[in-house]
Each structure stands twice: as structure tokens, then as C-alpha cells.
Amino acid sequence: MAIFRSASGEGGAEVVLAAGNPYGSRTLVVERDEDSSVAYLCSPEGTVHGAVWLANHRPAPAVVDLARINAGLPPLMPRANTLHPDGRRPLGQLTALWFEEGDGVALYEDEELLAVIPGWADMSRGMPGYARDAVGESPFAWALSEALEGLQPRISNARSYWGWRHSEGSWPSFQQFVMGHLDGALGPAGRYWDASGDRLPTVGITERPPHQGRAYTVLSTVGMSCQRMPTVEQWIDKPGAYARIELAVATREDPRDAALLLVWLSQYPWHSVTWLGHGHTAKWYHEPSTFPLGPQYSGVLMLANAPHMPDMSGFAFGGEAVRWLWLSPVTSETLEAQQR
């Protein structure tokens, strides 16, 4: 049975809210017609990653209305699964609060929490989002009241995080914090490059020339750890130890070449809604002949606590330790072996 077919407004549905996350990787779309309202969590290409029923605007049917679903219309919640079996008025003023990671969102109606679509929502596995007016668990929504204890910390963190992040001086203070840590671990800074352009997350690259017997330059990102990476909790039992990272690379050649690797990957988790961790690999996105560290390589392997590299530990943000992942160039054969 197709539960939610699209978020395109087809079949007579009207889009009443479209709100993108700060990273440009997800959009919350709320649709309604005369009978019901529903929210979708979509990629820029229109793929629906999560969906949740919000309200019936007429009396609820006794069972699922398959004709509506097959017509691509917002579903009607069956009578047993809604707090308002006789229907309710159209939704009021809607606003979105994105999770820090950008992969989940809380939806408010007139400043009251109406629904949550977390990053782990997955319609193909029967996991819709959570709705205030839902009762129990149905294919269209799970009761928000029953999940609020677990969701509330994420929502509260999101509100405080974005309040801080949009405040004057937040980024310069964070940047100074990281740079000071790297001064102690690697020695004085050399050049600094912006790696983010006009898109969030804001990330820079700091160059640390050879220092006190270290015969090579170290380059590090500055800013990846300012926001948690998406989807970590879907793979790791204790995501707090893995959700914040910075990337580093060592080189004896022109540092500007190695810096291209950091430019390539520094915003990747938030724009692709994924995470990077120890043992992960990334294949160079362009022609192999253009790989910054030589055409014999095809990508990188990421290593925490890489042997013979400086110890970068001891930095934390948001109450969570930050891990530095070292990039090591690898051949196409190594990439293929890692992916098996």
C-alpha cells in the first residue's frame, strides 16, 4: 500500500509551508486539502524521506481510505487513531525548528508543538513521524505524547543551538576557541582559507607549518565540530562520542594541494545527510588525474588516532568531545577492498 506518494501538491492538495533546513539538504513541506493535512521531509530532488499526518478536517473514516491514498491525496487518519475523530479546523500559523544536524525537524502550530519528523523516520520501514493529534501507532503517524520524553532533549537543544548560532559573535568565538586548541597541539598558524563560501556550515582551513622537529605541514578544518553530523545515532549506540569531528591532513608538498581535500569533504556530511568516522573512505569526486596528492590515488581513508601523527585530542564543544580524523590517500584497489 502506498502511504504517502508525493509532496508536489498534485491531486488538489495545496502547499501551505515549505521550509528548508540551514544546510540546503532537506525541506519540510506541509500540504493540505479540504479534508486533511500532512507534512513531508524531502530532499532537494523531491524524494520523500519522512512523512507524518497532521490533522483531519472532516469526520474520520472507520478504516484507511485507500481511494485517497491511490489518488495521491493527503491521507485521512482512521477514527481510532486521532484525538479529533470529528475533525478539526484548518491549521494555524506554522513554523519549523530544525535539529542541529539538519536531518530532523519539529513543526509548531501557533507556537505549540504539532509534529516531529526525526532523521530516523523511514516510510519504507513503517516509521512515520510523530503527531500531537495521533493516537497510538499507525502507518500515517505515531503519537507524539508517547515519544516526547525522548524527543524533547533534541528539540530543546535545537532551540538553544540555533539561538546561539545566530547570535552576534558566535562564529568568531568558536573559531578562536578551535584555533587556540590547535596552537597548543601544532604550533603557530600560517595561512587560513575559507572552505564554505556562502553556505552553512561555516568551515575554514588552518595551515600549521613545520614546528619543533615536525618536518611536515598539518592542515585542519575549523568549524565542522560546530554542529553535530546527521544520522550518527542510526549507526552508533552512543553518538555523543562520534557526532563532532574535524578533518586533518599532513603534507610535505604544497599545502594548497592538500587543502583541496578538506574543501571537498568539510561540508559533505550536512549537504549529503550522512556522517564521517574512523575507517570510512571517500572516492574523489572528479577525474583521478586531478587528485590533489597525485594521480596514483583515487580517494582517502579516514583514521582517528593515526599512527605517528600529532595528538589533537582534548577539545570539546556542546559538552561532546571532538575527534580529529586524518585523511590518508588510497588507491582505487584499496577503496574497492574497503567497500567489500
Side-chain angles (χ1 to χ4, degrees), residues 34-45:
E34 293 182 353
D35 297 326
S36 69
S37 296
V38 66
Y40 303 89
L41 187 63
C42 306
S43 68
E45 300 78 32

Side-chain angles (χ1 to χ4, degrees), residues 288-289 291 293-299 329-333:
S289 61
F291 189 79
L293 303 185
Q296 68 272 33
Y297 300 113
S298 296
V330 292
T331 63
S332 58
E333 290 78 15

Side-chain angles (χ1 to χ4, degrees), residues 111-186:
E111 300 186 359
E112 182 179 341
L113 186 61
L114 176 66
V116 177
I117 308 180
W120 57 86
D122 186 341
M123 298 308 300
S124 66
R125 293 191 292 155
M127 297 172 61
Y130 304 89
R132 181 190 63 197
D133 294 348
V135 174
E137 295 183 0
S138 78
F140 305 136
W142 292 356
L144 178 60
S145 60
E146 297 176 11
L148 200 54
E149 182 178 355
L151 291 170
Q152 192 60 60
R154 296 291 289 272
I155 297 169
S156 298
N157 177 75
R159 188 167 297 284
S160 60
Y161 174 78
W162 291 115
W164 169 81
R165 189 65 184 85
H166 293 311
S167 65
E168 185 176 355
S170 62
W171 167 248
S173 65
F174 175 86
Q175 184 185 43
Q176 186 176 16
F177 194 23
V178 182
M179 294 289 278
H181 172 76
L182 293 174
D183 288 345
L186 299 171

Side-chain angles (χ1 to χ4, degrees), residues 29-333:
V29 178
V30 178
E31 288 184 357
R32 64 148 294 179
D33 64 5
E34 293 182 353
D35 297 326
S36 69
S37 296
V38 66
Y40 303 89
L41 187 63
C42 306
S43 68
E45 300 78 32
T47 301
V48 176
H49 294 276
V52 63
W53 164 92
L54 300 173
N56 289 351
H57 305 305
R58 69 171 177 81
V63 296
V64 174
D65 187 338
L66 289 176
R68 282 184 62 86
I69 293 171
N70 292 333
L73 293 170
L76 277 166
M77 182 67 81
R79 176 169 291 269
N81 294 108
T82 173
L83 291 174
H84 302 284
D86 295 328
R88 54 149 291 177
R89 61 176 175 78
L91 300 176
Q93 182 68 36
L94 300 176
T95 54
L97 173 65
W98 290 95
F99 289 4
E100 177 181 346
E101 301 90 334
D103 60 346
V105 63
L107 177 64
Y108 287 81
E109 179 192 15
D110 300 327
E111 300 186 359
E112 182 179 341
L113 186 61
L114 176 66
V116 177
I117 308 180
W120 57 86
D122 186 341
M123 298 308 300
S124 66
R125 293 191 292 155
M127 297 172 61
Y130 304 89
R132 181 190 63 197
D133 294 348
V135 174
E137 295 183 0
S138 78
F140 305 136
W142 292 356
L144 178 60
S145 60
E146 297 176 11
L148 200 54
E149 182 178 355
L151 291 170
Q152 192 60 60
R154 296 291 289 272
I155 297 169
S156 298
N157 177 75
R159 188 167 297 284
S160 60
Y161 174 78
W162 291 115
W164 169 81
R165 189 65 184 85
H166 293 311
S167 65
E168 185 176 355
S170 62
W171 167 248
S173 65
F174 175 86
Q175 184 185 43
Q176 186 176 16
F177 194 23
V178 182
M179 294 289 278
H181 172 76
L182 293 174
D183 288 345
L186 299 171
R191 291 169 289 187
Y192 184 92
W193 299 277
D194 173 66
S196 50
D198 296 328
R199 299 198 302 172
L200 287 178
T202 303
V203 184
I205 298 170
T206 178
E207 173 193 46
R208 304 288 162 153
H211 178 69
Q212 291 185 346
R214 190 184 74 238
Y216 51 85
T217 295
V218 173
L219 300 162
S220 171
T221 58
V222 176
M224 293 182 72
S225 61
C226 191
Q227 50 281 305
R228 304 173 102 243
M229 290 184 293
T231 75
V232 180
E233 72 277 345
Q234 298 177 38
W235 302 93
I236 300 290
D237 289 337
K238 296 182 178 180
Y242 300 88
R244 299 188 189 275
I245 66 163
E246 300 285 354
L247 300 178
V249 62
T251 184
R252 298 175 188 270
E253 306 301 329
D254 189 337
R256 291 173 296 183
D257 293 335
L260 293 174
L261 296 178
L262 301 183
V263 173
W264 165 42
L265 291 173
S266 61
Q267 295 181 311
Y268 179 78
W270 298 273
H271 294 170
S272 297
V273 193
T274 188
W275 68 295
L276 301 176
H278 175 73
H280 289 195
T281 58
K283 184 178 181 181
W284 182 241
Y285 71 103
H286 202 38
E287 294 294 326
S289 61
T290 67
F291 189 79
L293 303 185
Q296 68 272 33
Y297 300 113
S298 296
V300 295
L301 172 66
M302 302 172 207
L303 299 171
N305 305 315
H308 313 301
M309 291 291 107
D311 180 8
M312 314 272 270
S313 63
F315 179 72
F317 181 69
E320 297 173 325
V322 174
R323 305 174 91 211
W324 260 264
L325 299 179
W326 291 87
L327 304 184
S328 177
V330 292
T331 63
S332 58
E333 290 78 15

